[in-house]
Amino acid sequence: MAKRTPKRPMVGVLLISTLWLFASAAGAQSPRALENGQVPLMTTPREKRVAIIGGGAGGASAAYYLRKYADETGIKPSITVYERSGYLGGRSTTVNVFDNASEPVELGASIFVEVNRNLVSAAKEFGLTMDDADKSRPEDVPERLGVWDGQDFVFTQPDGGYWWWDLARLLWKYGWTPIRTHNLMKSTIGTFLKMYEEPYFPFRSLSQVAYDLGLTNITSETGEKFLEANNIRPPFSTDIIQASTRVNYAQNLPFIHGLETMVCMATDGAMSVRGGNWQIFDGMIKAAGATVKLNTTVQQIRKTDFGTYVLSSKGKAPSLSPTVQEHEYDVVVLAAPLQDASITLTPRPAYVPAKIPYVKLHVTLLTSPHRLSPAAFNLPSDAAVPSVVLTTLGPDETPREREEGVGRAGFFSISTLRHVVNPSSNGDEYLYKIFSPARITGADLARFLGFSSSGGNDDDDDDAVDDDVTWIYRHVWRSYPYLYPRVTFDDPLLDNEGLWYTSGIESFISAMETSSLMGMNVARLVVDDWKKEVCNNNEEEEKVVVKAKL
Ligand SMILES: *[C@@H]1O[C@H](CO)[C@@H](O)[C@H](O)[C@H]1NC(C)=O
Ligand SMILES: *[C@@H]1O[C@H](CO)[C@@H](O)[C@H](O)[C@H]1NC(C)=O
Ligand SMILES: *[C@@H]1O[C@H](CO)[C@@H](O)[C@H](O)[C@H]1NC(C)=O
């Protein structure tokens, strides 16, 4: 799909803001309407105070687009971003291999694709270097990608890595089904992209816009049913599409909904930002000129009688004052799943998002001089294991949900990311990333990499590094919701015109880009409300001027 820059409803925006500028200029030039001593009737709009809670994709985008849209109208918001962790980027963050800042590796959201308009255009604006997602994959392994069902490899391809399915190989094995899938994906994503444009954008109700676009027809079904209805069947769906839903969302086709299933197949132009995707969100917050409060937990949002909100927050780091601070805002944007935020909303807003289950994803990053062991994958000892192993269920396995959905394979993916040089030994080693529903033990690693597990399976030793595992980093994310079929989604407005929410979009499509879309949408709605306020005020003031003249 060709790269396109976001098309925003520019004409409408320009017209309205021009009108407003014109009105205020006219007001400023007609002081003769005023009696002596009367104060000028045209006031500059009061500064708007905005709090954004969460410095990930949704919060950073809300800040960035709020500044952009406000600049177009001449309103000057002051924006404060509250982030409970010590960094910006949320689930997009890197860790340093061997603690070397020149060797970052993505711990969370690792790629984005061409159709991710907001991310691509922001990365360009900030001058970030984008790499093809498979750029640094080691070349010294013949079969680069394989799908393993816990017993056999059901598909392997010699080239083209994880985000680049080898079409020739797919056609050879599965006939025309891959082409049908690609076409279905393109039309589905094409429909989704209308959410960025008038008349759908901006949207006060995600459920309504999803319905209007016919996307609820796709979210209401499981991936399995949606594919079947489009004549896409096993083994292609179970070998390839399910391997994708598992590596991206840790879910099987009979449980994940059809729209998210299609998103998994939209890998055209997969890329990542050199040095870490978090730089996009960091750049957005900087461009917004926002005040950033890191290591700061928001405890309460209290609505006042004047329709403003008082935030109580507390610093967590030793360097920050541990006392509760209170600040007043006109607008609050909650840009993190409310259910995990432990924030008290007083009084209870008109609408409170329902609690939904999130995937607990174990990410294990490690370095080792060993390659993946053929024995661990039932291969002859002289066979090379693909450098990226995705998994699916065996034909004899009953698909299950939640953690049990992983099945016999026991993990969702193991990727050989790149070569690294071990600073202690100067040896050339491999960097691996494993996604799994449970902790990967030392014994698991010994099996995958074919070394003998030293001294029992004592879990306390799992993180000990030696000659076999030379560096290890573990993290458990609440990474994305279980994306069960549904037709309603949490809307962005929680309370009349002041309290907004971006995370409802995660059960529709959970991705950096969709969080960004919702941040942008909320920004547009907030600035549109301000513009209405300014126009109403000016109209009233103009009426007063006219009366005074008469
Ligand atoms: C945030 O907290 C971490 C851990 O306590 C600390 O290392 C870091 O310096 C803190 N950052 C700020 C800006 O307070
Ligand atoms: C850190 O990584 C860079 C890039 O790979 C390398 O050139 C440098 O020597 C490493 N530094 C240390 C202390 O190992
Ligand atoms: C959605 O499904 C309904 C009922 O099957 C159908 O009438 C409608 O045309 C579909 N909408 C779109 C946009 O496909």
Short mmCIF file of all heavy atoms in Angstrom, two decimals, residues 186-216:
data_model
loop_
_atom_site.label_atom_id
_atom_site.label_comp_id
_atom_site.label_asym_id
_atom_site.label_seq_id
_atom_site.Cartn_x
_atom_site.Cartn_y
_atom_site.Cartn_z
N LYS A 186 -6.43 -6.07 2.60
CA LYS A 186 -6.34 -4.72 2.02
C LYS A 186 -7.68 -4.00 2.08
O LYS A 186 -7.74 -2.82 2.41
CB LYS A 186 -5.86 -4.80 0.57
CG LYS A 186 -4.37 -4.99 0.48
CD LYS A 186 -3.82 -4.32 -0.75
CE LYS A 186 -2.39 -3.90 -0.50
NZ LYS A 186 -1.79 -3.25 -1.64
N SER A 187 -8.76 -4.71 1.77
CA SER A 187 -10.05 -4.02 1.79
C SER A 187 -10.45 -3.70 3.23
O SER A 187 -11.00 -2.64 3.51
CB SER A 187 -11.12 -4.80 1.03
OG SER A 187 -11.55 -5.89 1.79
N THR A 188 -10.13 -4.59 4.17
CA THR A 188 -10.47 -4.33 5.57
C THR A 188 -9.68 -3.13 6.11
O THR A 188 -10.24 -2.24 6.75
CB THR A 188 -10.17 -5.58 6.43
OG1 THR A 188 -10.80 -6.71 5.82
CG2 THR A 188 -10.68 -5.41 7.84
N ILE A 189 -8.38 -3.12 5.83
CA ILE A 189 -7.55 -2.01 6.32
C ILE A 189 -7.96 -0.71 5.62
O ILE A 189 -7.97 0.36 6.22
CB ILE A 189 -6.04 -2.32 6.10
CG1 ILE A 189 -5.64 -3.57 6.89
CG2 ILE A 189 -5.17 -1.13 6.49
CD1 ILE A 189 -5.81 -3.51 8.39
N GLY A 190 -8.32 -0.82 4.34
CA GLY A 190 -8.81 0.36 3.61
C GLY A 190 -10.04 0.96 4.30
O GLY A 190 -10.15 2.18 4.43
N THR A 191 -10.92 0.10 4.75
CA THR A 191 -12.11 0.58 5.48
C THR A 191 -11.69 1.23 6.79
O THR A 191 -12.15 2.32 7.14
CB THR A 191 -13.06 -0.60 5.76
OG1 THR A 191 -13.36 -1.23 4.53
CG2 THR A 191 -14.33 -0.13 6.42
N PHE A 192 -10.80 0.58 7.51
CA PHE A 192 -10.32 1.13 8.78
C PHE A 192 -9.73 2.53 8.58
O PHE A 192 -9.95 3.43 9.39
CB PHE A 192 -9.29 0.17 9.40
CG PHE A 192 -8.37 0.83 10.38
CD1 PHE A 192 -8.83 1.22 11.64
CD2 PHE A 192 -7.04 1.11 10.03
CE1 PHE A 192 -7.97 1.86 12.53
CE2 PHE A 192 -6.19 1.75 10.92
CZ PHE A 192 -6.66 2.13 12.17
N LEU A 193 -8.99 2.73 7.49
CA LEU A 193 -8.32 4.01 7.27
C LEU A 193 -9.30 5.17 7.09
O LEU A 193 -8.93 6.33 7.25
CB LEU A 193 -7.36 3.92 6.08
CG LEU A 193 -6.09 3.09 6.33
CD1 LEU A 193 -5.28 2.96 5.05
CD2 LEU A 193 -5.24 3.71 7.44
N LYS A 194 -10.57 4.84 6.79
CA LYS A 194 -11.57 5.92 6.70
C LYS A 194 -11.79 6.58 8.05
O LYS A 194 -12.31 7.69 8.13
CB LYS A 194 -12.90 5.35 6.18
CG LYS A 194 -12.81 4.89 4.75
CD LYS A 194 -14.16 4.47 4.22
CE LYS A 194 -13.99 4.02 2.78
NZ LYS A 194 -15.13 3.20 2.34
N MET A 195 -11.39 5.90 9.12
CA MET A 195 -11.56 6.49 10.45
C MET A 195 -10.69 7.72 10.65
O MET A 195 -10.88 8.47 11.60
CB MET A 195 -11.22 5.45 11.53
CG MET A 195 -12.27 4.36 11.61
SD MET A 195 -11.84 3.05 12.78
CE MET A 195 -11.96 3.93 14.33
N TYR A 196 -9.73 7.96 9.76
CA TYR A 196 -8.85 9.13 9.85
C TYR A 196 -9.44 10.33 9.11
O TYR A 196 -8.83 11.39 9.11
CB TYR A 196 -7.49 8.83 9.21
CG TYR A 196 -6.61 7.86 9.96
CD1 TYR A 196 -6.89 6.51 10.01
CD2 TYR A 196 -5.46 8.32 10.60
CE1 TYR A 196 -6.07 5.63 10.68
CE2 TYR A 196 -4.62 7.44 11.27
CZ TYR A 196 -4.93 6.10 11.31
OH TYR A 196 -4.11 5.23 11.96
N GLU A 197 -10.55 10.10 8.40
CA GLU A 197 -11.01 11.14 7.49
C GLU A 197 -12.46 11.51 7.74
O GLU A 197 -13.24 10.71 8.23
CB GLU A 197 -10.85 10.65 6.04
CG GLU A 197 -9.40 10.61 5.61
CD GLU A 197 -9.18 9.84 4.33
OE1 GLU A 197 -10.16 9.67 3.58
OE2 GLU A 197 -8.03 9.42 4.10
N GLU A 198 -12.80 12.72 7.33
CA GLU A 198 -14.20 13.12 7.33
C GLU A 198 -14.99 12.18 6.43
O GLU A 198 -14.43 11.70 5.45
CB GLU A 198 -14.33 14.54 6.77
CG GLU A 198 -14.13 15.61 7.81
CD GLU A 198 -14.47 16.99 7.24
OE1 GLU A 198 -14.27 17.20 6.03
OE2 GLU A 198 -14.92 17.83 8.00
N PRO A 199 -16.24 11.90 6.67
CA PRO A 199 -17.03 12.40 7.80
C PRO A 199 -16.90 11.56 9.07
O PRO A 199 -17.62 11.80 10.03
CB PRO A 199 -18.46 12.29 7.26
CG PRO A 199 -18.42 11.06 6.40
CD PRO A 199 -17.03 11.03 5.79
N TYR A 200 -16.00 10.59 9.06
CA TYR A 200 -15.91 9.71 10.23
C TYR A 200 -15.06 10.32 11.34
O TYR A 200 -15.30 10.09 12.52
CB TYR A 200 -15.35 8.34 9.82
CG TYR A 200 -16.22 7.68 8.77
CD1 TYR A 200 -15.88 7.71 7.43
CD2 TYR A 200 -17.42 7.08 9.16
CE1 TYR A 200 -16.69 7.14 6.48
CE2 TYR A 200 -18.25 6.51 8.22
CZ TYR A 200 -17.88 6.54 6.87
OH TYR A 200 -18.71 5.99 5.94
N PHE A 201 -14.05 11.10 10.95
CA PHE A 201 -13.14 11.71 11.93
C PHE A 201 -13.53 13.15 12.14
O PHE A 201 -13.78 13.85 11.14
CB PHE A 201 -11.70 11.63 11.41
CG PHE A 201 -10.70 12.19 12.37
CD1 PHE A 201 -10.13 11.38 13.34
CD2 PHE A 201 -10.34 13.54 12.33
CE1 PHE A 201 -9.21 11.90 14.25
CE2 PHE A 201 -9.42 14.06 13.24
CZ PHE A 201 -8.86 13.23 14.20
N PRO A 202 -13.55 13.65 13.36
CA PRO A 202 -13.35 12.92 14.61
C PRO A 202 -14.63 12.22 15.03
O PRO A 202 -15.70 12.57 14.58
CB PRO A 202 -13.01 14.05 15.59
CG PRO A 202 -13.76 15.23 15.10
CD PRO A 202 -13.79 15.11 13.60
N PHE A 203 -14.49 11.23 15.91
CA PHE A 203 -15.67 10.46 16.33
C PHE A 203 -15.83 10.49 17.84
O PHE A 203 -14.89 10.28 18.57
CB PHE A 203 -15.59 9.02 15.81
CG PHE A 203 -14.25 8.36 15.98
CD1 PHE A 203 -13.97 7.61 17.11
CD2 PHE A 203 -13.26 8.49 15.00
CE1 PHE A 203 -12.72 7.00 17.26
CE2 PHE A 203 -12.01 7.87 15.15
CZ PHE A 203 -11.74 7.14 16.27
N ARG A 204 -17.07 10.81 18.27
CA ARG A 204 -17.36 10.81 19.71
C ARG A 204 -17.66 9.40 20.19
O ARG A 204 -17.54 9.11 21.37
CB ARG A 204 -18.54 11.73 20.02
CG ARG A 204 -18.09 13.15 20.09
CD ARG A 204 -19.14 14.14 20.47
NE ARG A 204 -18.52 15.44 20.30
CZ ARG A 204 -17.95 16.13 21.28
NH1 ARG A 204 -18.00 15.69 22.53
NH2 ARG A 204 -17.35 17.26 21.02
N SER A 205 -18.10 8.56 19.26
CA SER A 205 -18.41 7.18 19.65
C SER A 205 -17.65 6.21 18.75
O SER A 205 -17.86 6.18 17.54
CB SER A 205 -19.91 6.92 19.54
OG SER A 205 -20.13 5.52 19.64
N LEU A 206 -16.77 5.44 19.36
CA LEU A 206 -16.03 4.42 18.61
C LEU A 206 -16.99 3.32 18.13
O LEU A 206 -16.87 2.85 16.99
CB LEU A 206 -14.94 3.85 19.51
CG LEU A 206 -14.10 2.70 18.96
CD1 LEU A 206 -13.44 3.07 17.64
CD2 LEU A 206 -13.04 2.28 19.98
N SER A 207 -17.94 2.94 18.97
CA SER A 207 -18.90 1.90 18.57
C SER A 207 -19.66 2.35 17.33
O SER A 207 -19.88 1.57 16.40
CB SER A 207 -19.92 1.62 19.69
OG SER A 207 -19.25 1.32 20.89
N GLN A 208 -20.08 3.62 17.33
CA GLN A 208 -20.88 4.13 16.22
C GLN A 208 -20.06 4.16 14.93
O GLN A 208 -20.53 3.73 13.88
CB GLN A 208 -21.39 5.55 16.55
CG GLN A 208 -22.36 6.09 15.52
CD GLN A 208 -23.67 5.31 15.49
OE1 GLN A 208 -24.27 5.06 16.53
NE2 GLN A 208 -24.10 4.89 14.30
N VAL A 209 -18.84 4.65 15.00
CA VAL A 209 -18.04 4.76 13.77
C VAL A 209 -17.68 3.35 13.26
O VAL A 209 -17.69 3.10 12.05
CB VAL A 209 -16.81 5.68 13.95
CG1 VAL A 209 -15.71 5.01 14.75
CG2 VAL A 209 -16.26 6.14 12.63
N ALA A 210 -17.44 2.44 14.19
CA ALA A 210 -17.13 1.06 13.78
C ALA A 210 -18.34 0.44 13.09
O ALA A 210 -18.22 -0.24 12.07
CB ALA A 210 -16.73 0.23 15.00
N TYR A 211 -19.51 0.75 13.63
CA TYR A 211 -20.75 0.23 13.04
C TYR A 211 -20.99 0.87 11.66
O TYR A 211 -21.28 0.18 10.68
CB TYR A 211 -21.93 0.53 13.98
CG TYR A 211 -23.25 0.09 13.41
CD1 TYR A 211 -23.66 -1.24 13.51
CD2 TYR A 211 -24.08 1.00 12.74
CE1 TYR A 211 -24.86 -1.66 12.96
CE2 TYR A 211 -25.28 0.59 12.19
CZ TYR A 211 -25.66 -0.73 12.30
OH TYR A 211 -26.85 -1.15 11.75
N ASP A 212 -20.86 2.20 11.60
CA ASP A 212 -21.11 2.91 10.34
C ASP A 212 -20.21 2.41 9.22
O ASP A 212 -20.61 2.39 8.06
CB ASP A 212 -20.90 4.42 10.52
CG ASP A 212 -21.97 5.04 11.41
OD1 ASP A 212 -23.01 4.38 11.65
OD2 ASP A 212 -21.77 6.19 11.87
N LEU A 213 -19.00 2.03 9.57
CA LEU A 213 -18.05 1.56 8.55
C LEU A 213 -18.21 0.06 8.26
O LEU A 213 -17.49 -0.49 7.43
CB LEU A 213 -16.62 1.85 8.99
CG LEU A 213 -16.19 3.32 8.86
CD1 LEU A 213 -14.87 3.56 9.59
CD2 LEU A 213 -16.04 3.70 7.39
N GLY A 214 -19.12 -0.58 8.95
CA GLY A 214 -19.31 -2.02 8.74
C GLY A 214 -18.24 -2.85 9.42
O GLY A 214 -18.15 -4.05 9.20
N LEU A 215 -17.40 -2.22 10.27
CA LEU A 215 -16.32 -2.98 10.91
C LEU A 215 -16.83 -3.84 12.07
O LEU A 215 -16.20 -4.83 12.42
CB LEU A 215 -15.21 -2.03 11.38
CG LEU A 215 -14.40 -1.39 10.24
CD1 LEU A 215 -13.48 -0.30 10.77
CD2 LEU A 215 -13.59 -2.43 9.47
N THR A 216 -17.98 -3.47 12.64
CA THR A 216 -18.52 -4.33 13.70
C THR A 216 -18.94 -5.69 13.13
O THR A 216 -18.99 -6.66 13.86
CB THR A 216 -19.69 -3.68 14.46
OG1 THR A 216 -20.59 -3.13 13.50
CG2 THR A 216 -19.21 -2.58 15.38
#
